């Protein structure tokens, strides 16, 4: 398996730098001699030892020398070579991220969190994707550790759940930290995300919205995160008297394509669900795509809730309601714990924010439930208000007749709902299908509708 070295976006070495330190040149420019610590010393007119002291923020260096060294480093674009420095000093400056996860955005956010910490310790990150089911999986990891002389390894799910891999790391004497939805090891080597909290929040939300025909799209079999999120969701629904039949509980393999397939399968049922909870956002986007292909309105005819709260959740339409998992913070805490273990100091306990349901526009009330926003969840209020302000003009496009029902359906959640005559009459509105023929009447109706939100 090919390994890629992702340099930290900044560096602050904690040990003296050897004269073999170099800077990589761009492959798109003509080759040139790489700057060394000797070049920096000559440019700054100081000794190499002084350069080392400045980089390591050691005392006994005058302010003028510090300024000259830093200027020389910037002018020469000098950066230490982690592998060369490790050979010279007898230790490694590389941390490995070994992962098997189809969700690329999750992995990128995790890397950002890891680098937030590594960049301040003069360390770099080796990213190593792999597949547990491949031949020689464990041998490949063992070779990676030996060849790169890794100082430590971070294991995100689902690899963090593989005890065979953990045994390989222990045998190699390689420090590690595991990220998982539940405690699998001693506290000092664990970052626990408590995914079950998010599963219960999603169930509470759909119950509050009045849904009873609910579907669940799980991740791949064997993923503990999928099991914990899904089981917590089903358990709370069952406690409230709502059962998810077998045909409404399907697998979507944590990918967009899997979500599309699962969405078509669910929406083709004789009694399709009015709400779907997917155990990651990629599958939620897929379910939404399947609904569009079947001309099913979101969220008035189908509510969708995802998990992870990827950046794309706030960019698709309707904006996706999703359980926010603090992925970047998980990466930062994992690297903090790993560096403490490598340094032999007390490992900080650290605390993560629990998963939080972020309410946007992809879920709506069903049946007779009153359209009021619960205070138990967070919401993107600014996004909702901006979209709502533009509705009068949007509804009048192409000269189409605007009815009270269409006006309500066009509003973001929690205003959007499938209205019937009983609901309209109870709120003092005229006939549901009565047209609003002019711009003024539409704007007046719009103002009345907003009061209900």
């Amino acid at each position: 398996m090919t390994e890629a070295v992702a340099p930290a976006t900044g560096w602050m070495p904690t040990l003296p730098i050897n004269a073999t330190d170099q800077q990589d040149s761009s492959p798109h420019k003509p080759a040139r001699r790489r700057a060394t610590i000797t070049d920096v010393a000559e440019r700054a007119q100081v000794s190499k030892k002084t350069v080392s002291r400045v980089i390591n923020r050691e005392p006994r260096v005058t302010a003028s020398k510090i300024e000259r060294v830093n200027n020389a480093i910037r002018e020469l674009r000098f950066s230490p070579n982690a592998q060369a420095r490790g050979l010279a000093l007898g230790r490694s400056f590389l941390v490995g991220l070994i992962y098997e996860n189809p969700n690329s955005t999750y992995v990128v956010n995790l890397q950002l969190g890891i680098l937030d910490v590594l960049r301040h310790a003069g360390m770099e990150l080796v990213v190593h994707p792999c597949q547990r089911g491949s031949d020689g999986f464990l041998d490949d990891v063992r070779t990676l550790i030996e060849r790169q002389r890794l100082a430590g390894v971070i294991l995100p799910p689902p690899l963090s759940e593989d005890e065979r891999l953990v045994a390989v790391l222990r045998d190699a004497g390689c420090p590690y930290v595991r990220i998982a939805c539940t405690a699998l090891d001693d506290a000092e080597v664990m970052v626990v995300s408590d995914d079950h909290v998010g599963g219960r929040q999603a169930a509470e939300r759909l119950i509050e919205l009045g849904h009873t025909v609910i579907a669940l799209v799980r991740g791949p079999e064997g993923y503990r995160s999928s099991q914990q999120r899904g089981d917590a969701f089903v358990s709370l629904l069952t406690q409230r008297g709502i059962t998810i039949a077998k045909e409404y509980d399907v697998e979507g393999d944590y990918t967009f394509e899997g979500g599309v397939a699962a969405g078509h399968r669910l929406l083709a049922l004789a009694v399709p669900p009015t709400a779907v909870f997917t155990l990651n956002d990629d599958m939620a986007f897929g379910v939404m795509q399947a609904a569009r292909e079947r001309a099913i309105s979101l969220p008035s005819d189908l509510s969708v809730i995802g998990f992870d709260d990827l950046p794309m959740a706030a960019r698709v339409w309707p904006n996706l309601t999703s359980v926010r998992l603090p992925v970047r913070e998980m990466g930062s805490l994992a690297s903090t714990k790993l560096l403490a273990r490598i340094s032999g100091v007390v490992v900080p306990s650290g605390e993560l924010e629990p998963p939080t349901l972020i309410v946007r526009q992809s879920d709506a009330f069903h049946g007779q439930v009153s359209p009021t926003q619960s205070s138990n969840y967070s919401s993107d209020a600014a996004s909702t208000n901006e979209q709502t302000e533009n509705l009068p003009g949007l509804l009048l496009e192409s000269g189409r007749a605007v009815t009270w029902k269409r006006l309500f359906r066009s509003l973001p959640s929690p205003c959007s709902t499938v209205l019937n005559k009983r609901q309209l009459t109870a709120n003092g509105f005229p006939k549901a299908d009565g047209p609003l023929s002019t711009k003024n009447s539409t704007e007046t109706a719009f103002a009345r509708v907003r009061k209900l939100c």
Side-chain angles (χ1 to χ4, degrees):
M1 184 66 67
T2 301
E3 301 89 31
V5 177
T9 55
W11 49 267
M12 188 183 304
T14 56
L15 292 174
I17 299 176
N18 187 271
T20 56
D21 292 344
Q22 298 176 344
Q23 176 198 14
D24 294 334
S25 61
S26 170
H28 304 293
K29 295 181 180 180
R32 65 175 182 175
R33 189 177 70 83
R34 298 172 180 176
T36 68
I37 193 171
T38 300
D39 298 322
V40 174
E42 291 177 353
R43 176 70 65 92
Q45 296 182 338
V46 298
S47 68
K48 289 187 290 184
K49 183 62 176 177
T50 298
V51 174
S52 176
R53 285 174 175 166
V54 171
I55 291 174
N56 287 283
R57 298 188 175 183
E58 294 180 11
R60 302 185 305 279
V61 183
T62 65
S64 61
K65 289 183 178 180
I66 291 175
E67 183 178 3
R68 296 208 307 269
V69 170
N70 285 333
N71 288 339
I73 288 173
R74 284 193 296 270
E75 292 168 2
L76 295 172
R77 293 186 294 174
F78 171 77
S79 179
N81 181 292
Q83 288 177 309
R85 185 155 48 115
L87 288 172
L89 300 172
R91 62 159 291 185
S92 173
F93 291 87
L94 300 176
V95 167
L97 173 63
I98 305 177
Y99 73 93
E100 177 195 45
N101 194 312
N103 188 335
S104 59
T105 307
Y106 174 95
V107 175
V108 168
N109 285 339
L110 195 66
Q111 288 182 51
L112 291 175
I114 293 171
L115 289 171
D116 286 341
V117 174
L118 294 189
R119 65 184 179 182
H120 295 301
M123 308 289 283
E124 296 189 39
L125 184 64
V126 176
V127 180
H128 185 80
C130 58
Q131 294 182 336
R132 285 182 294 174
S134 64
D135 294 337
F137 157 59
L138 296 177
D139 289 336
D140 288 344
V141 172
R142 190 177 291 107
T143 300
L144 169 71
I145 296 169
E146 294 172 352
R147 181 187 303 157
Q148 299 290 348
R149 302 180 67 251
L150 297 181
V153 166
I154 295 173
L155 299 175
L159 287 188
S160 59
E161 304 161 10
D162 193 319
E163 297 299 336
R164 300 174 304 155
L165 177 56
V166 172
V168 168
L169 297 176
R170 287 172 179 159
D171 291 343
C174 181
Y176 63 86
V177 170
R178 306 164 75 174
I179 301 173
C181 60
T182 189
L184 304 172
D185 211 322
D186 296 334
E188 60 266 24
V189 297
M190 285 298 311
V191 173
V192 180
S193 57
D194 292 326
D195 291 20
H196 66 94
V197 175
R200 293 180 65 86
Q201 289 182 356
E204 287 277 11
R205 174 67 178 170
L206 293 179
I207 291 170
E208 289 181 5
L209 294 176
H211 293 279
T212 56
V213 184
I214 301 172
L216 173 64
V217 182
R218 297 180 182 267
E221 184 178 359
Y223 277 47
R224 199 177 298 247
S225 62
S226 175
Q227 180 182 349
Q228 189 177 101
R229 297 172 186 180
D231 289 354
F233 179 76
V234 172
S235 176
L236 185 59
L237 290 180
T238 301
Q239 292 174 20
R240 303 296 178 84
I242 300 174
T243 301
I244 296 183
K246 184 177 181 180
E247 61 269 26
Y248 293 87
D249 190 336
V250 300
E251 183 178 316
D253 73 14
Y254 275 170
T255 66
F256 173 83
E257 293 77 13
V260 173
H264 281 299
R265 179 178 172 184
L266 292 169
L267 297 174
L269 294 173
V271 180
T274 63
V276 178
F277 176 46
T278 68
L279 300 190
N280 80 347
D281 284 352
D282 282 343
M283 295 190 298
F285 302 145
V287 170
M288 294 167 73
Q289 177 63 29
R292 293 189 188 94
E293 292 175 2
R294 290 174 172 268
I296 294 174
S297 178
L298 299 168
S300 57
D301 297 327
L302 179 68
S303 291
V304 180
I305 295 179
F307 201 111
D308 286 338
D309 192 38
L310 302 178
M312 188 59 64
R315 298 169 187 163
V316 298
W317 179 252
N319 297 163
L320 178 65
T321 293
S322 180
V323 176
R324 176 172 293 167
L325 200 63
V327 177
R328 186 164 182 163
E329 292 79 3
M330 289 157 54
S332 294
L333 181 56
S335 53
T336 298
K337 287 192 170 189
L338 183 61
L339 291 182
R341 294 199 70 206
I342 293 171
S343 302
V345 300
V346 176
V347 178
S349 58
E351 292 185 1
L352 289 173
E353 290 292 327
T356 304
L357 184 66
I358 305 300
V359 175
R360 296 192 179 93
Q361 289 82 45
S362 66
D363 56 343
F365 288 85
H366 178 72
Q368 303 295 323
V369 181
S370 175
T372 56
Q373 176 70 47
S374 170
S375 61
N376 295 329
Y377 315 110
S378 299
S379 63
D380 284 351
S383 174
T384 298
N385 290 337
E386 179 181 353
Q387 292 151 1
T388 304
E389 291 292 346
N390 297 327
L391 285 175
L394 295 174
L395 290 171
L396 289 169
E397 64 184 355
S398 304
R400 295 173 60 187
V402 179
T403 66
W404 289 104
K405 181 180 291 187
R406 186 176 177 216
L407 181 59
F408 269 90
R409 283 185 171 182
S410 300
L411 290 169
S413 174
C415 302
S416 58
T417 184
V418 179
L419 299 177
N420 55 34
K421 293 182 180 179
R422 188 175 180 180
Q423 289 171 300
L424 287 167
T425 302
N427 288 288
F429 288 94
K431 186 177 179 182
D433 295 326
L436 304 171
S437 57
T438 67
K439 180 178 180 180
N440 288 336
S441 62
T442 299
E443 290 179 343
T444 300
F446 175 72
R448 291 182 63 189
V449 167
R450 287 205 65 178
K451 291 181 180 180
L452 289 182
C453 299

